[in-house]
Amino acid sequence: MRHLTGAVLDSDSNAVTRELLRLGVLDFVSLQEMSPDWRNELDPVYPGEEQRQVAKLRERIETFFAILDAHPATLVDFFPEDEGYAGSVDEAERRLDKVASAIQRVREEQKAISQELNRTKELQRHLDGGGDSLVKQPHRFLSVRYGLPSSGREEEFRAALGKFPCVYLDSGLLMTLKRDETGIAPLLERFGWREIPAPVREEHAPGLADAEIEKKTRELEAKNDELEKKAREIVEGKKDELLSLWKGLRIRELSETVRGFFGKTARTFIFAGWVPASHEKELDGALRRVTDNRCHLEWLDPFSHKDGQLPKQIPVIMNNPKWLRPFEKLVTNYAIPAYGTVDPTIFVAVFYCVMFGLMFGDVGHGLVVFLIGLLGRLKAKKAGKQEHFLFPLFRWCGGSAMVAGALFGSWFGMELFPPLWFDYHGIISGHSVEGGVQSISDILLITIYFGIVVIGFGLLLNFYNRIVKHDWVSLLFDKGGLLGGWLYAAGTWCAFYFVRHDYRQLPDNSFLALFIGLPALLMIVKPVIEWRHAHRGERFGLMTVAYLLMEWLVELLEVFSGYLSNTLSFMRVAGLGIAHVSLVIAFFQIADMAAGSGGYTIWSYIILLLGNVLIIGLEGLSAGIQSLRLNYYEFFSKYFDGTGRAYAPVSLKH
Amino acid sequence: MTAPVRQYGFINAKLRTRLNKLFDEATLEKLRQAPSLAEAIQLLKDTPYRQEVSVYESTGDLKEVEAALWRREIATVAELRRYLQGTLLSLLDGLLLRYEVDIVRNSVRLWFDAHLKRRSIGGEAGYLYQEALVNPFSIDEVVNAEDFDALLEAFKLTPYGQLLEENRQDIESRAHLFRFETDLDRFFYRQLIESVDKLEAADKRIALRLIAVEVDLRNVDRIARLAFFYPPEKRSQWHIIIPGGSFSGQLLDSAVSVRKGEDAVATLLNGHYPGLDSFTSSSSEDSLGMVEGLLRQIRREETMKLLRGYPFTVGIILAYVFLKRKEIGTVVSLLNAHYYGVSPDRMGDGL
């Protein structure tokens, strides 16, 4: 990253704004935050009311596109030569109002249909309730009559009936609700209603009314579908115009955002921000070109800072290849690593997959997880969407479980092929097993070795981070520094020595004094240096000595108990692996119990199927979570400085 | 594990999660500031109400959206039944009665419009929640009742028939439903307090405190509104006071009988919350808005106090039901305000 502070003339500010937006590589820094002295020197250029109005108009267009289940950003490309919307906000608002009212008119038509449907449904309800008994024993809520309005007034009559729930057939059947009698009676009088004799087969009336209601309902629903389509067509019809307006408004809005970071003097504008080193020349050249070199640009390499300390809040770009993105997501879900420190994504990828495989080692189960990941990918591809980051993670984890399954000889819990490493199932079920790994203790030991490797690697990364940050005190005297590493290595050696000697003998005293006592004693240096730094010129008093001793003791306790528990924590990898195998064995035993004398029955197969589904769901989830937990709390805690912030330039793409 | 933890542990965890999802002020403000109904609907599509508001695009009918929102709320409260037992179940029935009372009120209003006011109510009954909640009655029977006796018949298996009978003269001769509607509210709170009486002492204390706040809100709101529009002699004829609040009966009576609206508000608030006279010293219209704002704040503080306190009590259930109801009510009001083109400032007053 490079830090840029630029000063340009007032007359060039528009061109500079456009260029900054076009390149979209500057992650702006608030000038006031950068240097509090500037607070008095510079006037801010706050985004005005107009910018808020522009944002509102842009959002309005987005709501129109929501009718099409689309977002303008996915339908339009930005080009460097595009200009922001130059018209007035009022004019844009008028254009959008026209579209909004056209849609609103459609909604009103839909509302009328909805209300009519409601009326029709009510009649249907009463008709259903009355059923076939309508004629012999008329439904108490319905009124049925036969007649015709004055000749030539049929259409008008039908329209006047509209506000009442009713059925009126050409044959003269008029079915209304009794509660509307007081409204219907004057209507009949007004239209010269003449009663006509009921047809001979009057009992057909309910069926006719029912058929009419169904027909009407279908027509209304079809009409409503048409209207929904019409609302979409309105937006479709205006699509190009709206997209162009949206693009213009968005560019204008972003330009205002850029200007919001400017500080103003009488005739100049000042701005500052971070740019990836690879874009330094490009941005420098572009700004000089558009200002005819009438600008002052000051570039700073953060590592060349005068006191050797990195400035705060340098944005971070995590440049991992695409195949590592799901693991990068796991890292950023925890925090963004501080600028200059190690991006642990690749290590997380390796450790996560190894842990998952050790906990969930089975070729068949791994294959299912892998296929779920593949299915997610195909589904997303079919829908034209980007797949969720969990699906590639599924594929990685599934692959890792398959490799581990081959090493342990486990294929859906069966030993179809001999294990390449050791027989996990044989060990758990107590069969005699050959090779270097023969018991559960051996499995636990493997995971402890694995834990030591992970923690040791974490410490190495911490050494690197401390060197990069020039944090020499922590590098030397911190519990995660060289002294801490020394203690961890010596402690681990002592622990293995103790175990090798049947838990009866520790290494000799000179070893303990040199490798445990000395670094433990030296750890007091850190609190002393920190105290001196915070209390320059002060002398040590009795209380200070007591305080420093207390801090040293607490630190030592943390080192011994912390490292021990962190290492033993990796035994959960074996624990989960053992649970996985045990569950498989248990389901096979249940299937055996359900088997008849002639071998497996259908129940045995159902038990195995459901058992495997349960194992994949339950154990897969456990293994995934525990791997994450070990990465976050045992690995990250050794070196990870998550105080970084993600690089977020103002650009057309963001 | 103690009994309250066993009883409330699960439901509290569930409801606290849901309470966290209630709209904050910023979301309501955003909704208020939406330039149009379509935009307001769009904003709600990113909330748990997505399904309900989508009804607007397929029907264009805001009443359908409103009905869907209330249906969802009733379903949410009814769903709590699954996690409760014993006296808490009867409390939940007491809370469900709130919705039933509203449905009774709305269906009787429709009947009143159709039969006494001689207006066509079209398919309005279709918007009402049709399924039985606590007492069995049919909305179709109510809105289609041919006369008052048929209306009573429609409610024969419920306590509402008795309430209607008591208000028969008002409804038939004076053609107004005001007293009946007030009686419905009184009935609801009486029933709710009765169901609270069966709870354990600690739960009972908390529940009564929350209910008292709700009743106070309704009483002050009613007295304040009526006092601004009707003379005292008219007000005193109506049973506008709901029992169960924390205001004394004497104070409520005196507020009902004072002449001017602002005096009624001042009497109530200063008599109960001394030191709040600044709320009632401004012009009459402002003071009504301020009173409403104050009452909202009292409700919020009572609820917050409860949420900060000992967690294993009935309070969380009541707080959730009251706040959720308020939220849906606010969403419905804002959508309607957008439909009628009310300005955001005026919406703010009415929130």
Side-chain angles (χ1 to χ4, degrees), chain A residues 525-544:
Chain A
V525 175
K526 192 188 166 208
V528 171
I529 292 176
E530 281 174 351
W531 190 89
R532 296 287 308 173
H533 188 71
H535 304 83
R536 280 179 202 281
E538 282 184 42
R539 298 183 62 178
F540 285 102
L542 196 61
M543 286 308 291
T544 311

Side-chain angles (χ1 to χ4, degrees), chain A residues 258-269:
Chain A
V258 169
R259 293 173 66 81
F261 285 102
F262 285 5
K264 199 166 68 170
T265 65
R267 289 199 347 219
T268 57
F269 281 88

Side-chain angles (χ1 to χ4, degrees), chain A residues 35 52 87 162 165 233 239 242 263 272 315 338 384 423 436 472 494 528 551 572 597 599 604 618-619 649:
Chain A
S35 169
R52 278 187 284 276
E233 280 168 2
K239 195 171 170 182
L242 288 172
D423 183 358
W472 309 118
C494 284
V528 171
E551 198 169 326
R572 75 185 65 221
S597 52
S604 307
L618 203 69
E619 287 294 311

Side-chain angles (χ1 to χ4, degrees), chain A residues 135-291:
Chain A
V135 179
K136 287 175 191 161
Q137 188 185 8
H139 192 286
R140 53 203 166 120
F141 302 144
L142 292 172
S143 161
V144 181
R145 46 167 70 84
Y146 290 89
L148 295 166
S150 309
S151 176
R153 301 190 68 189
E154 287 83 1
E155 282 311 304
E156 209 186 331
F157 177 62
R158 276 181 196 281
L161 281 172
K163 66 175 179 174
F164 299 102
C166 68
V167 170
Y168 178 54
L169 301 180
D170 289 340
S171 61
L173 168 70
L174 174 62
M175 189 180 289
T176 56
L177 288 172
K178 281 183 184 171
R179 69 162 189 248
D180 291 328
E181 268 315 287
T182 48
I184 295 284
L187 206 66
L188 297 181
E189 200 181 322
R190 181 148 65 92
F191 285 93
W193 177 263
R194 289 171 289 111
E195 296 281 338
I196 58 170
V200 179
R201 300 195 62 185
E202 202 180 347
E203 68 272 19
H204 288 158
L208 290 172
D210 203 34
E212 174 67 11
I213 287 172
E214 267 186 37
K215 186 178 150 214
K216 194 171 172 184
T217 305
R218 273 200 305 276
E219 280 172 4
L220 287 170
E221 282 170 352
K223 209 169 160 189
N224 191 48
D225 289 345
E226 279 299 308
L227 286 168
E228 268 193 88
K229 213 169 132 194
K230 195 172 163 189
R232 283 197 294 274
E233 280 168 2
I234 290 171
V235 183
E236 285 281 4
K238 294 273 180 185
K239 195 171 170 182
D240 292 340
E241 183 189 339
L242 288 172
L243 279 177
S244 158
L245 188 57
W246 183 87
K247 192 164 66 175
L249 289 166
R250 183 76 184 128
I251 291 172
R252 182 160 156 184
E253 189 187 349
L254 286 170
S255 299
E256 287 293 322
T257 305
V258 169
R259 293 173 66 81
F261 285 102
F262 285 5
K264 199 166 68 170
T265 65
R267 289 199 347 219
T268 57
F269 281 88
I270 294 174
F271 58 91
W274 293 97
V275 183
S278 57
H279 288 285
E280 180 186 338
K281 275 188 184 165
E282 183 189 14
L283 183 60
D284 189 282
L287 292 179
R288 289 186 192 285
R289 193 184 66 247
V290 295
T291 58

Side-chain angles (χ1 to χ4, degrees), chain A residues 60 63 66 104 107-108 110-111 114-115 118-119 122 125-126 140-141 163-165 179 182 224 228, chain B residues 33 35 39 42 56-61 64 114-115 118 120-123 127 140-141 143-144 146 339:
Chain A
R60 273 188 91 176
T63 61
Q104 193 53 42
R107 298 290 180 230
E108 288 297 331
Q110 280 182 286
K111 182 182 166 185
S114 165
Q115 289 172 339
N118 252 340
R119 287 194 285 271
E122 185 176 4
R125 221 168 40 236
H126 296 316
R140 53 203 166 120
F141 302 144
K163 66 175 179 174
F164 299 102
R179 69 162 189 248
T182 48
N224 191 48
E228 268 193 88
Chain B
Q33 293 290 349
E39 276 97 327
Q42 199 52 41
Y56 182 73
E57 278 162 16
S58 52
T59 62
D61 191 352
E64 287 284 6
H115 293 271
R118 307 290 184 205
S120 169
I121 56 168
Y127 296 115
D140 283 335
E141 299 260 359
V143 294
N144 291 296
E146 284 176 29
Y339 180 76

Side-chain angles (χ1 to χ4, degrees), chain A residues 29 34 40 61 64 185 212 218 231 251 253 260 272 322 364 388 400 411 481 508 534 555 592 617 634 641:
Chain A
V29 175
M34 203 174 106
N40 301 325
I61 300 175
F64 294 149
E212 174 67 11
R218 273 200 305 276
I251 291 172
E253 189 187 349
K322 198 178 167 193
H388 195 278
S400 151
W411 303 69
D508 59 48
E555 187 88 348
D592 282 341
E634 318 304 349
D641 180 356

Side-chain angles (χ1 to χ4, degrees), chain A residues 370-385:
Chain A
F370 182 84
L371 289 176
I372 292 171
L374 210 58
L375 205 68
R377 182 184 185 161
L378 293 175
K379 213 173 160 192
K381 205 171 172 184
K382 205 173 167 189
K385 290 179 181 168

